[in-house]
Amino acid sequence: MKIIKLNKTFGNLIVTRNSVIDFFSSLADFSTEDFVLDFEGIEFISRSGAHEYLNQKSICGLNLREINLTSNVKAMFLLVAKQMKKAVSV
Amino acid sequence: MEKARLEKIKRIFYVPFIEINGLNDLLELGQNLFFHNKDNEMEQIGKVFNLVKRNFPSDLHNILLYLLGELFDNISQHSNYSNCLFILSYNNELGIGRIAIMDDGISIPKAFEKKGINFKDDDEAIEMALRGISTKIESGRGFGLSSTKKLVEKALKGMFVIISRKGIYSSGKKSSRQLNLFNGTAIYLEFRDSGKSGKNLNIYKYLE
């Protein structure tokens, strides 16, 4: 299992979809499929960034576990997950 | 962008396009908020966000970061820009915040045309984007501009303007003409912070 500190890649912000896509592509360089993604130091994630994260997570085929999410980051993930669910059910 | 065209755009907005609080802000506006050819995009966004944190009241940070995040990702994803300019200002005495973002990318109508999405004129293309119609088909797309508009107009009770190619949307006003300013997109947000607008504002309730 590999622990990755996201603030080393993103700094304190996750904003663009492209940066999230690039990050998920970089996970293929590791020999493991199990990751713990540490959100410590990530102060903000945009709605688009959170949407792309969930999208990539669902298609990458890796086992990912997130830790140290702030309440703001958590709230954004919950919002996007709700929106995605709603869009699918419409 | 040609100087004459930029002057024309400034007049359209009817407000001072750049308002600064001090020399440091002037230096930062001049040096840091101009994105060119996507060089150091993430670093530049970080600087924009830090400017918000330094110059806007803390109650507004959450909502402003949301707005900037959506607007910037929109530009990054759809516009294929070469140049992008962010202008932020906050007048402490009046509590008026202004954000302007301009890019010289392909514009909303052109992005729709490329995907075969039909519309009557450029105004309608902008309105469609604001209703959540997206060039991307995955679920959860099309919220960027629509949620931005909703937050500015409903949560902040502010003004939201988009000019894209020849089209324009301006909060509460019906456009009667097609513009011919430039080929990219300009977005302008203005709001008055009454001291209450940001307090305990739960942005998520406007977004669900």
Side-chain angles (χ1 to χ4, degrees):
Chain A
M1 178 174 296
K2 171 84 183 158
I3 299 173
I4 297 181
K5 289 194 168 296
L6 294 181
N7 67 355
K8 286 194 175 159
T9 304
F10 294 99
N12 56 354
L13 309 163
I14 301 177
V15 180
T16 64
R17 290 178 186 274
N18 291 338
S19 64
V20 175
I21 292 168
D22 289 347
F23 170 73
F24 272 84
S25 302
S26 74
L27 295 182
D29 297 340
F30 294 96
S31 52
T32 180
E33 291 188 346
D34 298 309
F35 295 91
V36 173
L37 302 180
D38 187 349
F39 278 73
E40 189 180 359
I42 301 290
E43 294 172 22
F44 173 80
I45 185 166
S46 70
R47 197 206 63 84
S48 307
H51 177 261
E52 196 58 53
Y53 183 97
L54 294 178
N55 190 34
Q56 292 292 325
K57 185 178 176 176
S58 72
I59 59 176
C60 69
L62 302 169
N63 301 314
L64 307 179
R65 188 163 66 85
E66 295 81 15
I67 59 170
N68 294 326
L69 288 82
T70 65
S71 56
N72 267 347
V73 170
K74 221 182 264 180
M76 190 61 85
F77 274 122
L78 288 173
L79 169 77
V80 173
K82 248 187 216 174
Q83 287 175 338
M84 288 169 87
K85 213 172 160 188
K86 219 174 179 179
V88 168
S89 65
V90 167
Chain B
M1 191 177 297
E2 293 168 41
K3 204 176 166 190
R5 285 191 167 193
L6 187 59
E7 287 303 316
K8 219 172 171 184
I9 292 164
K10 284 181 190 175
R11 285 198 297 276
I12 287 286
F13 285 125
Y14 299 113
V15 290
F17 206 56
I18 299 179
E19 189 174 300
I20 50 171
N21 294 323
L23 184 60
N24 286 338
D25 287 347
L26 175 64
L27 291 174
E28 284 185 276
L29 284 168
Q31 291 173 6
N32 293 341
L33 299 183
F34 193 70
F35 296 56
H36 181 63
N37 291 330
K38 305 192 180 185
D39 292 341
N40 302 320
E41 203 173 62
M42 290 311 297
E43 194 186 325
Q44 298 293 73
I45 297 168
K47 285 176 179 170
V48 172
F49 277 47
N50 285 334
L51 265 184
V52 168
K53 286 185 182 171
R54 278 217 310 275
N55 293 302
F56 287 79
S58 58
D59 289 338
L60 293 172
H61 289 175
N62 218 12
I63 190 165
L64 293 180
L65 296 188
Y66 178 92
L67 297 173
L68 287 167
E70 284 312 290
L71 292 175
F72 189 77
D73 185 66
N74 231 40
I75 292 169
S76 172
Q77 278 271 302
H78 303 287
S79 84
N80 197 19
Y81 71 92
S82 296
N83 299 288
C84 171
L85 176 68
F86 269 71
I87 297 170
L88 313 174
S89 77
Y90 185 74
N91 183 314
N92 279 314
E93 282 175 24
L94 300 174
I96 294 178
R98 294 178 176 126
I99 297 174
I101 303 163
M102 296 165 66
D103 73 74
D104 60 357
I106 63 168
S107 79
I108 293 167
K110 182 80 181 167
F112 278 178
E113 281 169 2
K114 281 177 87 171
K115 289 285 176 181
I117 299 172
N118 296 321
F119 52 88
K120 187 180 71 194
D121 56 28
D122 289 0
D123 283 359
E124 188 179 69
I126 294 172
E127 278 174 29
M128 286 160 67
L130 290 172
R131 285 205 309 271
I133 292 172
S134 173
T135 56
K136 310 278 182 184
I137 52 167
E138 310 100 83
S139 70
R141 303 298 293 244
F143 283 93
L145 283 177
S146 59
S147 63
T148 302
K149 173 180 175 287
K150 200 191 273 185
L151 281 178
V152 173
E153 293 179 345
K154 298 210 164 130
L156 291 174
K157 313 254 181 279
M159 178 169 74
F160 183 71
V161 180
I162 300 187
I163 297 172
S164 194
R165 207 165 64 177
K166 292 181 178 180
I168 181 166
Y169 168 87
S170 178
S171 296
K173 289 176 191 161
K174 189 76 193 154
S175 163
S176 57
R177 59 187 174 146
Q178 290 274 296
L179 302 171
N180 194 12
L181 295 169
F182 67 124
N183 287 323
T185 298
I187 295 182
Y188 175 75
L189 322 176
E190 181 178 309
F191 56 90
R192 186 181 287 268
D193 175 26
S194 62
K196 290 177 189 164
S197 53
K199 290 240 181 336
N200 304 317
L201 181 66
N202 176 11
I203 64 169
Y204 301 102
K205 93 173 180 195
Y206 292 92
L207 301 171
E208 284 173 5

